[in-house]
């Protein structure tokens, strides 16, 4: 009896034997694959077309000639069959080798001539010649196709002249009628080479697109500059691989003159670059043509005569000097490849900028740029760390505010003010111990964290700080006297770090209230007194409830025809004493104190209600409303509910609401992102605001279900003069096109900016050029003069994106 194990063993052994020597079972599989690959369509449009014409030629040969020979009963059938066999072999060989060398053309010419002589009817031969020329035209240049056509024509003409002279054969065939095939040969060569050209161009374009797409995907989420360069060069190598003869050389003009930074594979980088190359590069484009020495050096590097185009690059880091791509190809640089390289350069500029901002922000996240002290975030983090898990340990915080700093700024200018801040920073260091943390936490506000320091010791340090700061400061143009008010707060054990900082802050205000240059230690009755900022914060917290928030609207406009495609809601605070306040003066405070929650919901309700009203009054008009949302609002899990409530109460469809998230204040919590996805799934659209200013730039797009990016106004402001700003905009447009995002440019103020943006493919814009933010009435009267996009166009233009991230 055979056990299960035994029964299974032979199978395993068989398999091993197969993989070494090959058994019948596997051989059959392999044979099947060979047959399939011989008969099956290969991938790629060029190869598929060649396959099609190869099949056509072979089939015509078999179907038209052989039956004619056999049925026609020609006594010269052996010659025809021989010629057919030669053609068949030559074509299959050419197809498999993917080329059509001159020798094969000669063989074809002789065999076709033979077929023409021996075949019973000239009509049949004409079809074979037609198919043969079409097929062969798929290889090599158009010139080769016409040379081949001339060769075949010559062969037929030779037959017409020579055949009647062969003894015993004069007049055997009516060979003279063969010349009727000549127009067919020319026609086939023309059609074939034209078709081959356009099919190759299409495949080339698809390959280039693929390369850029892959690179774009890899660049998303890459912030390391070296990694970005590496990704770019992999893509450039690939572009040159799919574009015959294309080479790219990156040249930098630094302090030591010109140097080659990198080049695509195969380029022999010259040790020394000719002197006239730099002036050629400066002249731009194909200017190398006018510098023979430069041209010769580049040709030598590329290994043969090339045409050269020069693309100036916008390097994010200009300290390395100016840079260029030199793109070369034999005869002429194909426009599609040049566009691809230009596109690549723009995407790389965008990624490099992203990387630079990322690097700066990583440093900025901890250091105050003006003084080199720690900044507020680093200070708060240090206080929190200090308080963590310690019991019964005294920690003190000093809050230091300069008295009359504003006067120094006003009288001596901002530069003097900045110098003064640096001097104060130095004096803070001198007045404290090396282990203490000095920070600048606002305009003229400093703080010091004194670890393991009692209230009494902290007061002594505070006094030293007051004395140090009050020593006259000699600036380049003046000597100034300032003083400092210092608040001291001390806690014992792990108290809430915010409370500690808040108390030092209150004490500082109390010190200031008593006059300049004083120290005040925190006492609990200070909590009952109200410095002005406390009043401001309290008013702000109540502003939403008191109906003091006002919304202004600014239209988003189509750059091509100036019609309105959406509106953005921008909040203002009608302050009872200070008048109408812009968001810049209170949004940050609201975020810090948490008032943003109530403000955000009140504004959202107002925006959605207004939109629903004009929607109701103008049913043929669809204007989505863009609402700014602070990242902090998303940390609150009731926000999504509030959005749904507001939409339902106002009766506004979800796709008329676009939530704008400022990219620099990145949504980092995973729950917030989950909430965003849920809202997006309900139809609400997401826009990324101020795009390009935050370090998250490209990475953000991967995690957020966004449909819109808004290019920050700083790029628009610079686009007409600054090549880097332009490159960033072009890069954003290319990337947005690829992943299906709408692009809106912000802050368009001048007609030339609009024209440039339009030419760069930005379809929507916003800015003072069209309309500054207005109260509802102002917006409606502006709209009345310019009917917004309506009806069928609306659906196409306004809601072109079905949410990509459904539940
Ligand atoms: P944002 O979202 O980038 O809004 C665009 C800002 O650019 C607005 O400033 C607008 O008045 C201004 N602007 C429009 N066109 C032009 C132009 O052509 N040139 C220039 N230079 N500026 C232009 P605004 O109204 O002061 O708002 C400032 C920021 O406050 C907004 O920037 C937004 O981040 C925030 N914000 C406004 N409303 C809200 C809100 O309801 N909630 C939250 N969380 N933030 C808001
Ligand atoms: Ca906005
Ligand atoms: Ca913005």
């Amino acid at each position: 009896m055979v056990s299960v194990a035994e029964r299974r063993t032979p199978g395993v052994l068989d398999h091993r034997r197969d993989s070494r020597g090959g058994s019948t079972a596997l051989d059959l599989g392999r044979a099947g694959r060979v047959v399939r690959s011989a008969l099956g369509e290969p991938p790629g449009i060029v190869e598929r077309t060649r396959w099609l014409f190869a099949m056509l030629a072979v089939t015509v040969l078999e179907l038209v000639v052989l039956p004619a020979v056999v049925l026609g009963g020609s006594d010269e059938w052996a010659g025809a069959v021989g010629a057919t066999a030669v053609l068949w072999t030559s074509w299959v060989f050419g197809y498999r080798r993917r080329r059509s060398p001159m020798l094969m053309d000669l063989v074809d010419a002789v065999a076709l001539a033979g077929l023409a002589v021996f075949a019973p009817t000239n009509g049949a031969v004409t079809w074979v010649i037609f198919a043969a020329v079409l097929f062969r035209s798929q290889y090599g240049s158009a010139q080769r196709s016409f040379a081949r056509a001339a060769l075949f024509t010559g062969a037929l003409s030779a037959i017409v002249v020579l055949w009647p002279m062969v003894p015993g054969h004069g007049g055997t065939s009516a060979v003279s009628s063969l010349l009727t095939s000549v127009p067919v040969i020319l026609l086939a060569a023309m059609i074939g080479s034209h078709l081959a050209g356009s099919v190759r161009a299409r495949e080339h374009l698809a390959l280039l697109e693929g390369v850029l797409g892959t690179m774009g995907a890899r660049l998303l989420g890459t912030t390391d500059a070296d990694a970005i360069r590496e990704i770019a060069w992999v893509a450039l190598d690939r572009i040159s691989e799919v574009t015959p003869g294309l080479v790219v050389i990156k040249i930098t003009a630094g302090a030591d003159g010109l140097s080659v930074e990198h080049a695509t594979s195969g380029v022999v980088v010259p040790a020394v670059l000719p002197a006239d190359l730099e002036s050629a590069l400066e002249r731009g484009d194909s200017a190398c043509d006018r510098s023979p020495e430069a041209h010769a050096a580049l040709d030598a590097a590329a290994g043969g005569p090339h045409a050269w185009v020069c693309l100036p690059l916008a390097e994010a880091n200009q300290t390395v000097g100016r840079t260029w791509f030199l793109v070369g190809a034999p005869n002429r640089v194909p426009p599609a490849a040049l566009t691809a390289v230009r596109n690549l350069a723009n995407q790389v500029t965008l990624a490099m900028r992203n990387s630079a901002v990322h690097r700066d922000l990583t440093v900025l996240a901890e250091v105050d740029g003006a003084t080199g002290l720690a900044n507020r975030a680093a200070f708060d983090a240090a206080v929190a760390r200090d308080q963590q898990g310690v019991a019964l340990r005294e920690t003190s915080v000093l809050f230091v505010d300069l008295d009359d700093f504003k006067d120094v700024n006003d009288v001596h200018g901002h530069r003097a003010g900045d110098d003064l801040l640096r001097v104060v920073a130095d004096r803070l260091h001198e007045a404290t111990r090396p282990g203490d943390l000095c920070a600048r936490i606002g305009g003229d506000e400093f703080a010091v964290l004194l670890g393991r320091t009692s209230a009494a010791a902290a007061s002594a340090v505070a006094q030293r700080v007051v004395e140090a700061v009050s020593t006259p400061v000699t600036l380049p143009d003046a000597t100034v006297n300032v003083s400092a008010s210092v608040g001291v707060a001390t806690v014992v054990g792990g108290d809430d770090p915010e409370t500690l900082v808040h108390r030092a802050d209150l004490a500082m205000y109390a010190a200031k209230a008593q006059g300049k240059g004083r120290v005040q230690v925190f006492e609990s009755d200070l909590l009952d007194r109200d410095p002005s900022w406390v009043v401001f914060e309290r008013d702000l917290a109540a502003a939403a409830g008191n109906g003091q928030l006002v919304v202004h609207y600014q239209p988003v406009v189509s750059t091509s025809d100036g019609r309105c495609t959406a509106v953005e809601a921008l909040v203002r605070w009608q302050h009872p004493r200070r008048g109408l306040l812009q968001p810049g003066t209170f949004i940050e405070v609201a975020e810090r104190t948490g008032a943003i929650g109530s403000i955000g919901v009140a504004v959202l309700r107002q925006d959605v209600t207004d939109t629903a009203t004009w929607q109701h009054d103008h049913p043929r008009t669809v204007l989505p409303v863009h609402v700014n949302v602070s990242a902090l609002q998303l940390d609150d899990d009731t926000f999504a509910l509030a959005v749904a409530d507001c939409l339902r109460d106002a009766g506004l469809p979800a796709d008329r609401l676009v939530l704008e998230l400022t990219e620099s204040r990145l949504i980092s919590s995973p729950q917030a992102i989950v909430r965003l996805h849920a809202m997006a799934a309900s139809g609400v659209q997401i826009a990324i605001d101020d795009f390009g200013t935050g370090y998250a730039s490209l990475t953000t797009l991967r995690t957020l279900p966004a449909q819109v990016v808004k290019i920050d106004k700083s790029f628009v402001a610079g686009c007409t003069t600054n090549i880097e700003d332009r490159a960033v905009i072009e890069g954003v447009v290319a990337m947005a096109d690829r992943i299906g995002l709408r692009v809106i440019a912000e802050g368009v103020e001048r007609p030339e900016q609009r024209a440039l943006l339009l030419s760069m493919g930005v379809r929507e814009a916003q800015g003072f050029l069209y309309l500054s933010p207005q109260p509802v009435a102002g917006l409606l009267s502006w709209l009345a003069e310019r009917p917004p996009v309506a009806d069928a166009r609306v659906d196409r233009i306004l809601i072109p994106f079905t949410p990509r991230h459904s539940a």
Side-chain angles (χ1 to χ4, degrees):
M1 209 182 138
V2 182
S3 74
V4 174
E6 282 166 334
R7 263 191 264 123
R8 285 177 59 184
T9 315
V12 174
L13 286 178
D14 272 352
H15 176 74
R16 290 218 196 102
R17 183 150 33 93
D18 287 348
S19 52
R20 263 186 268 118
S23 77
T24 40
L26 252 190
D27 275 349
L28 279 180
R30 199 176 303 145
R33 273 200 302 280
V34 170
V35 171
R36 266 203 306 279
S37 78
L39 291 179
E41 280 183 77
I45 175 167
V46 169
E47 284 309 316
R48 270 209 308 279
T49 311
R50 289 173 175 176
W51 175 86
L52 187 75
F53 284 126
M55 291 304 241
L56 189 77
V58 173
T59 312
V60 167
L61 189 60
E62 304 300 324
L63 290 185
V64 174
V65 178
L66 285 186
V69 171
V70 176
L71 299 178
S74 165
D75 51 359
E76 278 137 343
W77 64 272
V81 171
T84 303
V86 170
L87 284 172
W88 202 90
T89 314
S90 156
W91 294 346
V92 170
F93 180 78
Y95 172 72
R96 298 210 56 166
R97 288 292 165 97
R98 296 196 163 79
R99 58 206 193 94
S100 172
M102 198 73 100
L103 184 67
M104 280 196 209
D105 288 347
L106 276 173
V107 171
D108 281 8
V110 173
L112 284 171
L115 196 65
V117 168
F118 296 119
T121 63
N122 296 145
V125 179
T126 304
W127 281 112
V128 175
I129 294 178
F130 183 73
V133 175
L134 265 187
F135 164 55
R136 288 297 201 198
S137 300
Q138 303 310 307
Y139 300 87
S141 63
Q143 287 92 321
R144 269 299 302 281
S145 289
F146 286 104
R148 186 181 300 115
L151 180 68
F152 289 178
T153 306
L156 290 188
S157 310
I159 292 289
V160 172
V161 176
L162 297 178
W163 189 250
M165 296 180 191
V166 177
H169 287 288
T172 304
S173 297
V175 284
S176 60
S177 65
L178 272 177
L179 288 182
T180 52
S181 302
V182 171
V184 172
I185 295 179
L186 291 178
L187 188 72
M190 222 154 71
I191 297 174
S193 60
H194 177 79
L195 195 81
S198 45
V199 161
R200 259 179 244 147
R202 253 184 68 186
E203 183 162 277
H204 186 218
L205 212 61
L207 287 170
L208 293 173
E209 271 293 308
V211 174
L212 289 179
T214 310
M215 183 192 73
R218 293 189 64 197
L219 283 182
L220 288 174
T222 306
T223 48
D224 176 61
D226 288 336
I228 292 171
R229 277 191 207 103
E230 201 179 306
I231 291 172
W233 281 104
V234 168
L236 279 170
D237 272 333
R238 186 79 189 108
I239 289 177
S240 86
E241 217 174 282
V242 301
T243 314
L246 190 91
V247 292
V248 182
I249 303 176
K250 184 178 179 189
I251 293 192
T252 304
D256 310 331
L258 290 188
S259 59
V260 172
E261 202 183 304
H262 204 116
T264 42
S265 336
V267 172
V268 185
V269 175
V272 184
L273 290 165
D276 66 346
L277 182 58
E278 185 158 5
S279 51
L281 291 170
E282 295 289 358
R283 288 197 299 271
D285 266 11
S286 50
C288 291
D289 294 348
R290 280 182 277 138
S291 307
E293 203 190 330
H295 209 299
L298 293 171
D299 286 353
H306 276 52
W308 294 94
V309 177
C310 153
L311 297 180
L313 299 178
E315 280 279 320
N317 178 1
Q318 284 295 351
T319 52
V320 295
R322 280 155 308 141
T323 47
W324 296 266
F325 271 157
L326 275 170
V327 189
N331 301 322
R332 171 179 104 107
V333 179
L338 191 62
T339 308
V341 174
R342 201 172 263 144
N343 230 314
L344 173 143
N346 286 338
Q347 285 202 47
V348 169
T349 307
L350 180 64
M352 281 295 193
R353 223 196 135 275
N354 181 35
S355 141
V357 177
H358 182 263
R359 206 174 42 237
D360 291 350
L361 285 189
T362 321
V363 177
L364 270 184
E366 308 225 309
V367 177
D368 168 53
T371 60
L373 298 181
N375 65 11
R376 169 116 213 184
F379 182 78
D380 287 347
V383 174
R385 267 198 308 276
D386 186 83
Q387 295 289 291
Q388 224 163 38
V390 292
L392 299 177
R393 205 185 76 191
E394 285 176 307
T395 297
S396 296
V397 164
L398 308 186
F399 239 74
V400 182
D401 188 278
L402 300 187
D403 304 318
D404 309 323
F405 175 72
K406 189 170 172 294
D407 294 346
V408 176
N409 252 344
D410 291 350
V411 176
H412 302 288
H414 284 282
R415 187 166 299 169
D418 290 349
D419 290 342
L420 174 61
L421 292 175
R422 276 189 285 277
V423 172
V424 170
D426 290 344
R427 291 184 180 178
L428 276 182
H429 273 308
E430 286 161 18
T432 53
R433 294 168 303 187
D436 299 332
L437 180 74
C438 301
R440 175 169 171 241
I441 56 172
D444 60 350
E445 288 182 336
F446 296 84
V448 185
L449 172 65
L450 306 166
R452 296 176 189 276
T453 306
S454 66
S459 296
V461 178
Q463 202 55 51
R464 281 211 301 277
V465 167
V466 167
E467 281 158 24
V469 173
S470 61
T471 312
V473 177
T474 310
L475 299 175
D477 296 326
T479 298
V480 296
N481 285 298
V482 282
S483 56
S485 301
V486 184
V488 183
T490 305
V491 289
V492 179
D495 206 339
D496 171 13
E498 275 159 34
T499 310
L500 176 60
V501 174
H502 180 65
R503 288 180 175 182
D505 199 5
L506 277 183
M508 186 274 291
Y509 271 92
K512 229 181 193 19
Q514 295 161 37
K516 298 168 185 177
R518 285 176 192 265
V519 174
Q520 170 74 53
V521 177
F522 172 79
E523 295 153 2
S524 53
D525 63 351
L526 286 181
L527 290 171
D528 303 330
R529 293 190 222 155
D530 277 350
S532 61
W533 60 270
V534 172
V535 177
F536 186 82
E537 288 180 2
R538 205 179 43 213
D539 288 352
L540 184 58
N546 292 340
Q548 292 166 350
L549 298 178
V550 182
V551 181
H552 284 189
Y553 293 94
Q554 185 178 37
V556 178
V557 164
S558 150
T559 46
S560 56
D561 61 12
R563 300 230 263 170
C564 185
T565 58
V567 292
E568 176 173 7
L570 295 155
V571 69
R572 274 91 182 96
W573 178 14
Q574 187 65 60
H575 193 278
R577 291 179 306 282
R578 302 187 186 198
L580 192 69
L581 299 182
Q582 299 296 312
T585 60
F586 62 89
I587 289 290
E588 263 188 48
V589 180
E591 286 177 344
R592 187 158 45 77
T593 61
I596 194 71
S598 63
I599 293 179
V601 172
V603 171
L604 178 73
R605 188 164 286 278
Q606 182 72 51
D607 303 339
V608 167
T609 312
D610 285 347
T611 310
T613 312
W614 62 62
Q615 187 69 76
H616 182 263
D617 296 347
H618 305 274
R620 288 170 58 78
T621 304
V622 177
L623 282 185
V625 66
H626 288 232
V627 176
N628 292 284
V629 175
S630 157
L632 291 168
Q633 288 174 261
L634 283 168
D635 289 341
D636 182 351
D637 55 10
T638 59
F639 180 67
L641 291 177
V643 169
D645 279 354
C646 289
L647 287 171
R648 197 194 43 239
D649 294 350
L652 192 73
D655 61 6
R656 305 292 152 84
L657 178 64
V658 185
L659 300 180
E660 290 197 0
L661 297 158
T662 301
E663 178 229 7
S664 57
R665 322 235 7 239
L666 166 74
I667 306 80
S668 50
S669 95
Q671 294 100 312
I673 294 182
V674 170
R675 277 178 209 128
L676 262 189
H677 277 275
M679 282 193 281
S682 78
V684 172
Q685 298 192 48
I686 309 293
I688 299 184
D689 208 352
D690 304 346
F691 189 76
T693 57
Y695 72 93
S697 318
L698 302 163
T699 336
T700 320
L701 295 174
R702 275 210 161 152
T703 47
L704 300 187
Q707 291 90 28
V708 183
V709 284
K710 299 186 75 174
I711 300 177
D712 187 64
K713 46 181 175 283
S714 57
F715 299 105
V716 173
C719 71
T720 51
T721 49
N722 183 327
I723 156 170
E724 195 197 327
D725 286 344
R726 220 162 30 234
V728 167
I729 297 178
E730 282 180 355
V732 171
V733 172
M735 174 210 62
D737 274 354
R738 190 154 294 127
I739 53 183
L741 295 175
R742 249 170 77 199
V743 176
I744 300 176
E746 301 185 311
V748 180
E749 296 180 354
R750 298 195 307 276
E752 60 271 25
Q753 291 169 338
R754 182 202 72 97
L756 184 63
L757 288 165
L758 181 62
S759 74
M760 288 192 285
V762 177
R763 289 195 209 101
E764 287 169 90
Q766 205 177 334
F768 297 160
L769 175 68
Y770 305 103
L771 190 69
S772 60
Q774 298 286 321
V776 177
L779 176 82
L780 290 182
S781 65
W782 183 86
L783 278 178
E785 287 167 24
R786 294 163 198 75
V789 184
D791 288 335
R793 287 191 61 195
V794 165
D795 293 334
R796 194 159 51 79
I797 294 175
L798 294 183
I799 316 170
F801 305 99
T802 42
R804 289 177 298 135
H805 308 263
S806 50

